[in-house]
């Protein structure tokens, strides 16, 4: 069975955002995404609710969503300077096709229990590491298919700290990325719940770090380590971060006028998975060329009405 998993930073999508909802819906449906992890979703997800309500003709009426704020505390002393330069309260959401998935559930002592999506903060028992040291703690969801096997998909939606381009901020980004790949991903990939379904786990989002790719020029030289390896007994486990195509837009002045032209800048948007812990039959990655495909190559329109990021897609075969 093949599924398409999307990730999309929506650039401050609030309740009254003047987004082109029809084009956003077209991108999701025409690219045949089944689940989408969204970043920078404000206003308790009211903009996403508008998207679902107003885009019936694109069949998003049969989709569901959830929203959560990653900040578990307003105590800046607790998380020290990790959030001082990043206080916009950017939040997360998931969209999924209800014809294919439902929230994971199990029956225990004769009662049906549904796993509610949740932020991985210090109140969560899903991981051993204290995620509250992150500027934006990740958003975790478990989905199971309506048809096609006894398994579940586990998704970790993350938006890594940005700050600025000083070395101290770059180091914080790498620290958060290491926590994701060294601790959060392995913990959630191997955790077993009461029904013991086979679990396939993927992390995704805006990492604010590039993957170095020969021949590809990025605006920022802030690179991540795309492979983390460790040993589990006699078995070597690799945690891979993929998706090298440029997925963010930057502004470049055109001559000396006030006109601007949007161009591609960095490959900040990625997926993370382990071939050993989540044994997909096939995996592929792509950046959706949404500016050219859905906005007639109008970078300004896309930036103002869609986002300053392109959506990315991971196709998996189970």
């Amino acid at each position: 069975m093949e599924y398409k998993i999307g990730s999309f930073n929506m650039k401050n999508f609030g309740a009254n955002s003047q987004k082109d909802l029809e084009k956003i819906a077209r991108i999701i449906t025409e690219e045949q995404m089944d689940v989408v992890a969204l970043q920078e979703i404000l206003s308790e997800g009211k903009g996403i609710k508008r998207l679902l309500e107003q885009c019936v003709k694109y069949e998003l009426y049969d989709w569901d969503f959830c929203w959560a704020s990653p900040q578990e505390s307003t105590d800046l002393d607790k998380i020290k300077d990790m959030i001082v330069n990043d206080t916009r309260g950017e939040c997360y959401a998931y969209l999924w096709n209800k014809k294919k998935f439902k929230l994971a559930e199990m029956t225990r002592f004769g009662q049906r229990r549904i796993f509610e999506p949740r932020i991985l903060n210090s109140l969560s028992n899903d991981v051993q590491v204290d995620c509250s040291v992150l500027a934006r703690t990740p958003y975790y969801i478990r989905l199971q298919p309506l048809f096609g096997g006894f398994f579940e998909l586990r998704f970790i939606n993350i938006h890594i700290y940005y700050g600025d381009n000083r070395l101290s901020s770059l180091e914080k980004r790498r620290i958060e990325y290491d926590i994701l790949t060294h601790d959060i991903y392995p913990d959630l990939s191997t955790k077993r719940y009461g029904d013991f379904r086979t679990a396939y786990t993927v992390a995704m989002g805006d990492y604010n770090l590039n993957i170095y790719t020969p021949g590809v020029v990025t605006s920022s030289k802030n690179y991540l380590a795309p492979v983390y390896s460790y040993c589990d007994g006699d078995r070597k486990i690799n945690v891979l971060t993929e998706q090298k195509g440029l997925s963010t837009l930057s502004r470049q002045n055109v001559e000396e006028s006030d006109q601007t032209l949007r161009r591609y800048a960095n490959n900040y948007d990625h997926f993370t998975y382990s071939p050993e812990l989540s044994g997909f039959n096939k995996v592929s990655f792509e950046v959706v060329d949404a500016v050219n495909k859905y906005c007639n190559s109008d970078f300004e329109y896309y930036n103002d009405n869609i986002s300053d990021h392109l959506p990315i897609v991971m196709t998996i075969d189970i």
Side-chain angles (χ1 to χ4, degrees):
M1 186 69 69
E2 185 176 277
Y3 301 102
K4 288 195 172 185
I5 314 304
S7 179
F8 202 177
N9 182 317
M10 294 300 299
K11 189 189 176 186
N12 296 327
F13 190 4
N16 299 314
S17 297
Q18 299 303 307
K19 299 281 189 180
D20 189 331
L21 300 183
E22 289 196 0
K23 278 193 170 59
I24 294 171
R26 281 187 59 206
I27 292 170
I28 293 171
T29 55
E30 293 188 18
E31 297 300 324
Q32 300 180 324
M33 300 182 199
D34 300 304
V35 181
V36 190
L38 303 171
Q39 303 88 43
E40 294 197 30
I41 304 299
L42 313 180
S43 307
E44 299 179 341
K46 293 177 182 177
I48 300 299
K49 186 176 181 181
R50 282 176 53 217
L51 174 69
L52 296 183
E53 291 174 346
Q54 295 182 24
C55 294
V56 172
K57 66 180 179 179
Y58 293 105
E59 298 186 355
L60 288 183
Y61 64 87
D62 216 9
W63 284 57
D64 205 348
F65 86 102
C66 58
W67 173 93
S69 173
Q71 189 172 326
E72 70 163 332
S73 173
T74 56
D75 183 358
L76 297 184
D77 290 333
K78 178 179 180 180
I79 53 179
K80 298 181 179 178
D81 66 337
M82 293 292 285
I83 203 170
V84 169
N85 294 314
D86 218 313
T87 57
R88 287 179 288 173
E90 296 164 356
C91 305
Y92 300 110
Y94 284 103
L95 279 166
W96 65 93
N97 188 337
K98 292 194 296 183
K99 294 179 181 178
K100 293 189 175 182
F101 294 106
K102 64 179 179 179
L103 292 173
E105 60 182 44
M106 57 176 284
T107 301
R108 189 173 185 182
F109 304 122
Q111 293 186 334
R112 185 171 68 101
R113 298 187 178 184
I114 297 176
F115 183 92
E116 297 294 338
R118 54 198 181 217
I119 293 294
L120 293 173
N121 55 27
S122 60
L123 301 177
S124 169
N125 295 320
D126 300 286
V127 294
Q128 299 180 43
V129 64
D130 182 4
C131 297
S132 65
V133 299
L134 305 179
R136 288 178 287 256
T137 48
Y139 193 24
Y140 177 43
I141 191 172
R142 295 167 56 210
L143 297 173
Q144 65 187 59
L146 298 183
F147 314 100
F150 191 74
F151 67 89
E152 66 180 56
L153 296 177
R154 298 176 181 176
F155 298 121
I156 308 161
N157 191 354
I158 189 165
H159 188 180
I160 286 176
Y161 172 88
Y162 183 80
D164 52 37
N165 285 318
R166 291 179 297 180
L167 289 177
S168 58
S169 292
L170 298 181
E171 183 59 28
K172 291 170 189 175
R173 294 185 220 175
R174 294 191 180 103
I175 289 172
E176 292 202 0
Y177 172 71
D178 286 347
I179 292 173
L180 171 68
T181 55
H182 296 198
D183 300 295
I184 297 173
Y185 183 88
D187 278 3
L188 291 179
S189 298
T190 56
K191 187 174 180 62
R192 291 295 173 259
Y193 296 91
D195 54 4
F196 292 95
R197 287 176 176 266
T198 300
Y200 300 93
T201 307
V202 177
M204 76 272 292
D206 180 358
Y207 290 27
N208 279 314
L209 292 165
N210 286 302
I211 296 178
Y212 174 73
T213 309
V216 176
V217 178
T218 58
S219 296
S220 301
K221 310 302 180 184
N222 44 6
Y223 300 119
L224 55 79
V227 181
Y228 165 63
S229 300
Y230 66 96
C231 291
D232 181 11
D234 295 330
R235 185 170 66 150
K236 181 179 179 181
I237 306 296
N238 297 293
V239 179
L240 310 179
T241 296
E242 301 276 5
Q243 199 304 101
K244 301 175 183 178
L246 298 180
S247 60
T248 67
L249 279 61
S250 67
R251 183 176 294 274
Q252 177 179 333
N253 291 329
V254 178
E255 298 178 345
E256 295 181 357
S257 68
D258 292 332
Q259 291 182 332
T260 56
L261 182 66
R262 292 283 172 176
R263 300 183 184 277
Y264 303 115
N266 294 293
N267 61 11
Y268 281 169
D269 302 276
H270 307 294
F271 294 97
T272 296
Y273 81 107
S274 169
E276 292 78 25
L277 298 179
S278 295
F280 303 120
N281 296 325
K282 294 180 182 179
V283 181
S284 63
F285 307 90
E286 66 175 316
V287 179
V288 177
D289 186 9
V291 178
N292 294 314
K293 195 171 181 180
Y294 297 96
C295 294
N296 297 316
S297 304
D298 189 335
F299 282 75
E300 287 300 320
Y301 183 88
Y302 184 88
N303 179 78
D304 294 339
N305 297 279
I306 309 294
S307 179
D308 56 354
H309 286 244
L310 298 176
I312 59 173
V313 176
M314 177 180 184
T315 302
I316 60 175
D317 182 74
I318 296 175

